[in-house]
Amino acid sequence: MSEKRVAVVTGASRGIGLAIARRLVAEGCAVVIADLDQEQAQQAAASIDPSGDSMGIKMDVSNYDEVAQAVQQIRERYGRIDILVNNAGIIRRGTLETVTEEDWDAVITVNLKGTFNCCKHVVPIMLERGWGRIINVASIAAKLGDITSAPGYGPSKAGQVALTKTLARELAPKGITVNAVAPHAIETEMSAQWSDEMRQRVIAGVPMGRLGKPEEVAAAVAFLASDEAGFITGATLDINGGTLMD
Ligand SMILES: NC(=O)c1ccc[n+]([C@@H]2O[C@H](COP(=O)([O-])OP(=O)(O)OC[C@H]3O[C@@H](n4cnc5c(N)ncnc54)[C@H](O)[C@@H]3O)[C@@H](O)[C@H]2O)c1
């Protein structure tokens, strides 16, 4: 049984997830980087945690059985899972005219069903110890719809927020909190795909006049994962430079 708290962060080989994983290591956790490519996940784990307590694992969050198997492997190695960060997410751009059924299904399946799959298999392990923290990385698009034209993305994130509230209510008496963060426009490979014109348009809409940093999302996630956030559940924390205040 690991003496450290064990955090599973999905989609953490790069971008926001990697920043979250790095921060949770700094907070004293053993972190499991769960991503599509085993080797990249392992390299990422080694790069953030020289102690060797963290690991990478291949886990496609959209595949129910693969998630079950990966979670079982994590349990065998550590004997516990304390923190789950559902960060893995994809976006498929297009208009209603150009987006395909396959685009829609892929986005909903990774972003929304993936969150369900991971909660489904990890929560029973949290229940054994009666303590857990689940943080879902949603998006400002959950509230506004997507501003860069991606019809499935906003609905997938809005569904993730509704799932956050549903599970928060169910798990509140059992020692597990479930919260979401809703970032806007963070500097990662996802936002690097934007044209200069789109980048300037997005920045113009942010009162702080800049994109956010992955570390700023990681700090919010680390807080929600901490003991100090023990009375917060079902919340969605905005990380958006003042873009939306609701
Ligand atoms: N970058 C932004 O501006 C921004 C803003 C708001 C919300 N978000 C959300 O933050 C999260 C991380 O975004 P990012 O910008 O770091 O993205 P990214 O594309 O840089 O990284 C996403 C990671 O998820 C992994 N992944 C994709 N599909 C997966 C699957 N089926 N199973 C497991 N892993 C999978 C990828 O391999 C990659 O490592 C996403 O949920 C995204 O929707 C991002």
Side-chain angles (χ1 to χ4, degrees):
M1 172 83 68
S2 168
E3 290 191 0
K4 292 181 174 178
R5 279 189 177 154
V6 175
V8 176
V9 187
T10 68
S13 290
R14 68 177 197 215
I16 294 171
L18 183 60
I20 293 169
R22 185 179 283 117
R23 175 65 189 256
L24 292 175
V25 167
E27 300 289 331
C29 296
V31 175
V32 179
I33 290 185
D35 209 303
L36 293 173
D37 184 274
Q38 170 86 24
E39 203 172 314
Q40 282 174 11
Q42 272 169 349
Q43 281 171 5
S47 77
I48 58 163
D49 189 357
S51 79
D53 288 342
S54 296
M55 67 180 275
I57 196 164
K58 175 176 166 17
M59 186 171 99
D60 177 348
V61 299
S62 68
N63 184 323
Y64 186 88
D65 293 336
E66 191 171 310
V67 173
Q69 284 164 16
V71 168
Q72 189 52 36
Q73 280 180 51
I74 296 165
R75 191 178 193 287
E76 280 163 17
R77 165 151 181 197
Y78 296 101
R80 61 193 285 182
I81 299 175
D82 305 277
I83 298 162
L84 169 65
V85 184
N86 287 304
N87 166 79
I90 60 169
I91 193 164
R92 297 274 181 93
R93 293 189 200 289
T95 61
L96 184 60
E97 192 182 358
T98 62
V99 79
T100 65
E101 181 187 13
E102 196 271 325
D103 290 332
W104 173 272
D105 287 345
V107 171
I108 300 290
T109 307
V110 174
N111 299 4
L112 180 53
K113 187 183 171 199
T115 300
F116 164 76
N117 287 344
C118 294
C119 292
K120 173 84 179 159
H121 296 297
V122 168
V123 165
I125 299 173
M126 291 178 169
L127 289 175
E128 290 169 7
R129 297 171 63 87
W131 194 95
R133 296 278 189 266
I134 298 173
I135 299 103
N136 297 324
V137 180
S139 166
I140 194 172
K143 299 178 180 182
L144 288 182
D146 188 69
I147 56 169
T148 58
S149 194
Y153 187 72
S156 74
K157 296 296 184 177
Q160 213 184 14
V161 168
L163 182 60
T164 300
K165 294 176 184 174
T166 303
L167 296 183
R169 208 171 280 116
E170 178 181 328
L171 298 172
K174 299 177 176 170
I176 299 173
T177 67
V178 190
N179 292 291
V181 294
H184 174 50
I186 307 298
E187 296 274 11
T188 67
E189 289 184 37
M190 198 181 259
S191 46
Q193 296 164 16
W194 297 345
S195 65
D196 281 350
E197 185 271 331
M198 189 192 290
R199 191 181 174 83
Q200 291 317 317
R201 189 158 47 85
V202 171
I203 289 174
V206 182
M208 285 189 185
R210 65 171 176 88
L211 301 187
K213 300 176 192 146
E215 294 74 20
E216 290 171 321
V217 180
V221 170
F223 168 64
L224 291 171
S226 72
D227 288 310
E228 285 74 11
F231 201 49
I232 302 174
T233 198
T236 299
L237 182 54
D238 290 328
I239 308 169
N240 63 29
T243 306
L244 175 70
M245 305 179 197
D246 62 346

